[in-house]
Amino acid sequence: MLPERTGFIIWVSDMKAARGLERFGTVHYMSRKLHYVVLYMNADKAEEQLKQLHRLAYVKKIERSYRNEIPTEYSKDVEDKTRAYSI
């Protein structure tokens, strides 16, 4: 069974040092232009690891990703209005 995973967006000041974030979880994406890292980690150990992440000198801010909470199943309960505008 797969463990529950949660995502975090970590804003960093040094991208070279940000490669060390791999020891906390799975690095999904690193933006060199905007200086942030998308990191996924196990939800049961997230609180402990966040405390360690806040101690790092190159970490500016940590935000939780709400991707798991966004509904991705859509229904067609609403009628399609594009058909009303056809010629």
Side-chain angles (χ1 to χ4, degrees):
M1 177 122 174
L2 296 174
E4 184 69 27
R5 307 277 284 170
T6 183
F8 292 95
I9 293 97
I10 303 170
W11 298 91
V12 296
S13 59
D14 185 15
M15 289 304 293
K16 193 176 260 190
R19 290 187 213 147
L21 293 175
E22 292 179 351
R23 62 188 171 119
F24 293 99
T26 305
V27 174
H28 180 70
Y29 180 73
M30 294 177 78
S31 172
R32 298 200 182 280
K33 184 176 182 182
L34 297 176
H35 293 280
Y36 72 89
V37 177
V38 178
L39 179 76
Y40 286 94
M41 63 179 75
N42 293 343
D44 55 349
K45 298 179 182 178
E47 289 297 324
E48 301 162 4
Q49 291 180 344
L50 284 179
K51 290 177 185 176
Q52 294 175 357
L53 282 170
H54 278 291
R55 291 185 198 141
L56 298 175
Y58 56 89
V59 173
K60 291 182 186 178
K61 181 170 68 168
I62 300 174
E63 298 176 6
R64 199 173 120 235
S65 174
Y66 295 103
R67 185 167 188 211
N68 297 354
E69 299 170 12
I70 296 173
T72 56
E73 298 174 6
Y74 304 104
S75 63
K76 197 168 179 156
D77 294 338
V78 180
E79 65 180 77
D80 189 11
K81 293 185 180 181
T82 58
R83 295 181 188 198
Y85 299 118
S86 65
I87 298 176

